Amino acid sequence: MARIVMKFGGTSVADLNRIHNVARHVKREVDAGHEVAVVVSAMSGKTNELVGWVENMPKVAGSNAPFYDAREYDAVVASGEQVTSGLLAIALQSMGINARSWQGWQLPIRTDNAHGAARILDIDGTDITRRMGEGQVAVVAGFQGLGPDNRLATLGRGGSDTSAVAIAAAVKADRCDIYTDVDGVYTTDPRIEPKARRLKKIAFEEMLEMASLGAKVLQVRSVELAMVHKVRTFVRSSFEDPDAPGMGDLMNPPGTLICDEDEIVEQEVVTGIAYAKDEAQISLRRLADRPGVSAAIFGPLAEAHINVDMIVQNISEDGSKTDMTFTVPSGDVDKALRVLGDNKEKIGYDVIQSESGLVKVSVIGIGMRSHAGVAASAFRALADKGINIKAITTSEIKISILIDGPYAELAVRTLHSTYGLDKS
Ligand code: ADP
Ligand code: ASP
Ligand code: MG
């Protein structure tokens, strides 16, 4: 007997037939004698629709009211998961399985106060653990918890992954299975590169980079939690026949295991390619080259909660003036320009320029730590395709390259083949 947390994403619970199919996956594990907690997302497209309703509420002409109250945003967008948790409990009950739904506030899953992007602080797993021991399946609404203000709080887009891993850690599960519409983590997004290969295993650090750099198969925070709490996490498909051979394998279920790097015997130099769309670049020209300039730029941006990513500062020619270029998400450009405009005097720049619609393509692999020349091959390959590089950042295990949006797919496929990732 094992304790298993199973998470099903939006496409897996997109309609009643799929929810029925999910119930069959759960039944398989229950019938095998395991204790099971399930975490569900909203039906696919539902959260987008709910967010759209919040954002498109008509405003009174001339009103200076804030865009919207983040606590009410949470009250609205958390509702998608309430529906699917109830529906899955009903589907399970109709198969004769003892099951009940749980909302985040009922456990409770305690979060911080950052409405819309809250972090889980603590989960009380006593009730569900006891009931699981009595044979009841807990069906938990993902993506939501209870803030310190006693209000619903959501965990940021893709947050049900994090709910699942956090619950797995709280109930000390033997495994956390993230069921989605692909059968594992691939060398790159299989929607962009059909030749992408499924990875049998991927190291926590690599998965963390893949997720942070745009591979939305797992929310970044879920990987952090899995790494810290050593949760044995698998990414696998909900679309396979629930009763196909091997689906119920306890130690080696089909899919990709996210694990410690020591568990990976054959480590490649490059493990995967990720991409993030909708990046924007802002340049401040002819800045005073003196101590405190960076603080004057990035301090106010941080206060405005704008996430700055790549930063490039030129060495000044004459020791007095320099240029600074950095990237922010496209959605934050207007806000960033406003903040920088308000602080023009303090920063002391001449002109400000911006460009949206850029893409960041990243090459990721732990093996890069001990191999030289990985970056050079990327630059050569992109040059051969006529793709211009706008900015570069590197760390021990990744290289990120900023390019023009229309080249995204070509760049991903080019880098994927440059490192031989399409060959088994
Ligand atoms: P869910 O609704 O189940 O949470 P998501 O849409 O959030 O599913 O994540 C699954 C999607 O992630 C896949 O359909 C795939 O297009 C995308 N994806 C991006 N990069 C990768 C990758 N390296 N491996 C697998 N899937 C990836
Ligand atoms: N339904 C939420 C979203 O679409 C959470 C999730 O699916 O993980 O972002
Ligand atoms: Mg997701």
Side-chain angles (χ1 to χ4, degrees):
M1 194 271 293
R3 186 174 290 163
I4 302 175
V5 172
M6 308 169 76
K7 179 259 171 178
F8 295 90
T11 39
S12 308
V13 294
D15 57 39
L16 296 183
N17 285 329
R18 290 205 182 152
I19 292 177
H20 175 80
N21 190 55
V22 161
R24 289 181 55 214
H25 280 285
V26 176
K27 185 173 188 313
R28 179 190 67 235
E29 305 297 353
V30 172
D31 288 349
H34 302 314
E35 291 181 6
V36 179
V38 188
V39 173
V40 284
S41 287
M43 291 180 176
S44 68
K46 192 65 193 171
T47 310
N48 287 345
E49 181 185 40
L50 296 168
V51 171
W53 287 348
V54 172
E55 292 185 341
N56 295 321
M57 176 65 78
K59 307 217 169 26
V60 177
S63 154
N64 278 330
F67 192 40
Y68 50 70
D69 178 342
R71 292 160 300 190
E72 302 307 348
Y73 165 97
D74 279 347
V76 176
V77 303
S79 64
E81 276 72 10
Q82 177 162 340
V83 173
T84 45
S85 58
L87 287 173
L88 180 58
I90 290 170
L92 288 166
Q93 288 164 2
S94 75
M95 292 177 181
I97 295 170
N98 178 8
R100 73 154 272 191
S101 67
W102 294 86
Q103 304 311 301
W105 58 269
Q106 290 173 317
L107 287 176
I109 296 174
R110 297 228 174 253
T111 72
D112 66 12
N113 211 14
H115 284 278
R119 282 167 80 94
I120 295 177
L121 299 177
D122 181 52
I123 296 182
D124 188 346
T126 13
D127 235 357
I128 52 168
T129 311
R130 180 178 52 78
R131 290 175 187 233
M132 280 196 287
E134 292 163 8
Q136 188 178 64
V137 174
V139 185
V140 184
F143 185 50
Q144 51 164 275
L146 185 67
D149 52 0
N150 219 23
R151 308 273 312 254
L152 273 174
T154 61
L155 308 179
R157 299 306 304 272
S160 298
D161 298 328
T162 301
S163 309
V165 175
I167 289 169
V171 303
K172 300 196 170 45
D174 298 286
R175 227 172 63 204
C176 180
D177 290 356
I178 308 282
Y179 286 81
T180 181
D181 57 2
V182 275
D183 60 357
V185 177
Y186 278 67
T187 45
T188 193
D189 189 345
R191 286 185 210 218
I192 296 247
E193 174 51 285
K195 286 189 228 150
R197 281 183 303 108
R198 183 163 59 83
L199 297 160
K200 193 86 197 96
K201 295 177 179 176
I202 181 170
F204 286 122
E205 287 87 346
E206 290 173 322
M207 193 63 236
L208 204 53
E209 292 287 3
M210 291 279 276
S212 321
L213 296 167
K216 68 165 188 160
V217 60
L218 287 176
Q219 198 195 36
V220 179
R221 183 78 186 124
S222 71
V223 188
E224 284 170 358
L225 287 180
M227 186 155 102
V228 171
H229 297 285
K230 299 257 175 275
V231 177
R232 206 170 166 76
T233 303
F234 285 86
V235 174
R236 54 188 296 190
S237 168
S238 71
F239 291 111
E240 278 161 46
D241 176 1
D243 300 314
M247 289 297 280
D249 191 318
L250 187 57
M251 290 317 290
N252 284 305
T256 301
L257 171 65
I258 328 285
C259 59
D260 275 328
E261 68 184 273
D262 336 332
E263 267 198 67
I264 300 174
V265 189
E266 281 172 50
Q267 184 70 60
E268 305 289 337
V269 178
V270 169
T271 303
I273 313 290
Y275 67 96
K277 287 191 169 159
D278 297 324
E279 300 278 315
Q281 179 176 275
I282 295 179
S283 298
L284 299 174
R285 302 283 178 209
R286 290 181 291 285
L287 275 170
D289 194 8
R290 57 171 168 78
V293 171
S294 298
I297 298 170
F298 300 114
L301 291 173
E303 275 162 34
H305 302 289
I306 294 167
N307 240 333
V308 175
D309 180 18
M310 305 169 116
I311 302 178
V312 184
Q313 183 184 341
N314 286 347
I315 310 258
S316 70
E317 235 173 273
D318 57 1
S320 73
K321 299 276 175 194
T322 184
D323 291 337
M324 179 88 80
T325 297
F326 54 88
T327 62
V328 298
S330 280
D332 283 345
V333 175
D334 291 344
K335 194 156 115 187
L337 293 177
R338 221 176 314 121
V339 170
L340 295 166
D342 290 347
N343 288 277
K344 183 162 194 240
E345 296 279 288
K346 246 197 260 155
I347 303 168
Y349 58 86
D350 210 8
V351 213
I352 189 164
Q353 292 165 330
S354 69
E355 190 181 358
S356 294
L358 306 179
V359 167
K360 183 172 66 175
V361 186
S362 304
V363 178
I364 295 136
I366 280 181
M368 270 187 229
R369 282 188 196 136
S370 48
H371 278 79
V374 180
S377 332
F379 305 150
R380 178 79 268 144
L382 295 178
D384 288 346
K385 298 283 179 190
I387 301 174
N388 188 36
I389 297 175
K390 293 175 156 295
I392 302 163
T393 53
T394 61
S395 79
E396 242 192 342
I397 65 163
K398 70 121 204 279
I399 305 153
S400 290
I401 301 167
L402 191 69
I403 58 167
D404 281 321
Y407 292 103
E409 303 197 353
L410 177 62
V412 168
R413 287 198 282 262
T414 301
L415 294 174
H416 192 261
S417 76
T418 296
Y419 298 107
L421 296 176
D422 38 10
K423 299 194 183 71
S424 52

